[in-house]
């Protein structure tokens, strides 16, 4: 399969695009968002200011600047509010739209963090299933995509994504 699960630091991945689990302002924040902004440098924030934010589940792309990745795809994932506010569909949209934007810009290798499972409190097992299923569907319809990597920040997240791949 062209989907791999790894534990690591997404800011070190030399791929065509890394995905940023952004907030709707796109102006940086905590977690992976803050780490990507710090690693990319001030030029990333300057370009993000020109994008005028992004709706939950949508995606916008910028250059990678000082990152080893050529591009950063920014997508605000949903904040978990109990599961009855379209959170699952919005999370799937974040993955699908990120892949579509990357594809449109010629990206064939993409690395994702676990979107919405940190400060947005999306249940990890459910989020992993949604991510893996959505990525697998995209790979089936885009056979020229070379590789999608889920970059897990910690071992518990890595294990959840490994289990999701086995359930696929």
């Amino acid at each position: 399969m062209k989907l791999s699960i790894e534990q690591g630091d997404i800011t070190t991945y030399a791929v065509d695009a890394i995905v940023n689990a952004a907030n709707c302002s796109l102006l940086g924040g905590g977690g992976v968002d803050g780490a990507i902004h710090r690693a990319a440098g001030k030029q990333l924030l300057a370009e993000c200011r020109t994008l005028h934010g992004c709706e939950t589940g949508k995606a916008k792309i910028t250059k990678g600047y000082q990152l080893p990745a050529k591009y950063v795809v920014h997508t605000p994932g949903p904040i978990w509010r109990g599961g009855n506010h379209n959170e699952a569909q919005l999370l799937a949209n974040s993955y699908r739209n990120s892949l579509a934007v990357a594809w449109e810009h010629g990206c064939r290798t993409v690395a994702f963090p676990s979107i919405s499972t940190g400060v947005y409190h999306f249940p990890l097992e459910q989020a992993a299933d949604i991510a893996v299923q959505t990525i697998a569907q995209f790979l089936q319809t885009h056979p020229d995509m070379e590789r999608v990597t889920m970059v897990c920040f910690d071992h518990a997240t890595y294990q959840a994504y490994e289990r999701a791949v086995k359930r696929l």
Side-chain angles (χ1 to χ4, degrees):
M1 186 192 284
K2 295 180 180 183
L3 170 62
S4 61
I5 312 299
E6 299 179 9
Q7 186 175 341
D9 176 355
I10 198 166
T11 66
T12 65
Y13 277 66
V15 291
D16 294 333
I18 63 170
V19 176
N20 180 16
N23 57 48
C24 290
S25 76
L26 302 184
L27 301 180
V32 70
D33 190 13
I36 288 171
H37 273 266
R38 283 189 297 278
K42 293 178 182 176
Q43 294 165 303
L44 179 61
L45 178 58
E47 185 175 355
C48 283
R49 282 192 176 112
T50 70
L51 299 178
H52 308 291
C54 185
E55 293 177 38
T56 300
K58 303 280 175 101
K60 294 187 177 182
I61 195 166
T62 62
K63 295 176 187 168
Y65 297 102
Q66 295 174 33
L67 292 162
K70 185 175 180 182
Y71 294 103
V72 178
V73 176
H74 307 267
T75 186
I79 297 170
W80 182 257
R81 299 188 295 153
N84 297 317
H85 296 91
N86 208 28
E87 292 100 318
Q89 186 60 49
L90 289 168
L91 185 60
N93 289 348
S94 284
Y95 283 97
R96 189 177 305 104
N97 290 328
S98 294
L99 287 164
V101 166
W103 180 264
E104 289 164 9
H105 284 80
C107 300
R108 299 299 177 260
T109 56
V110 179
F112 277 95
S114 181
I115 298 168
S116 288
T117 59
V119 298
Y120 285 6
H121 302 291
F122 205 107
L124 180 57
E125 293 292 329
Q126 186 179 348
D129 283 340
I130 291 167
V132 167
Q133 290 169 9
T134 305
I135 292 166
Q137 289 167 355
F138 188 89
L139 290 171
Q140 286 176 346
T141 58
H142 295 80
D144 292 342
M145 181 66 82
E146 294 171 27
R147 173 143 316 270
V148 177
T149 307
M150 285 299 312
V151 182
C152 303
F153 178 73
D154 58 28
H155 193 64
T157 304
Y158 171 82
Q159 290 179 312
Y161 279 85
E162 283 283 302
R163 288 189 297 272
V165 167
K166 289 177 184 167
R167 287 190 293 268
L168 186 61

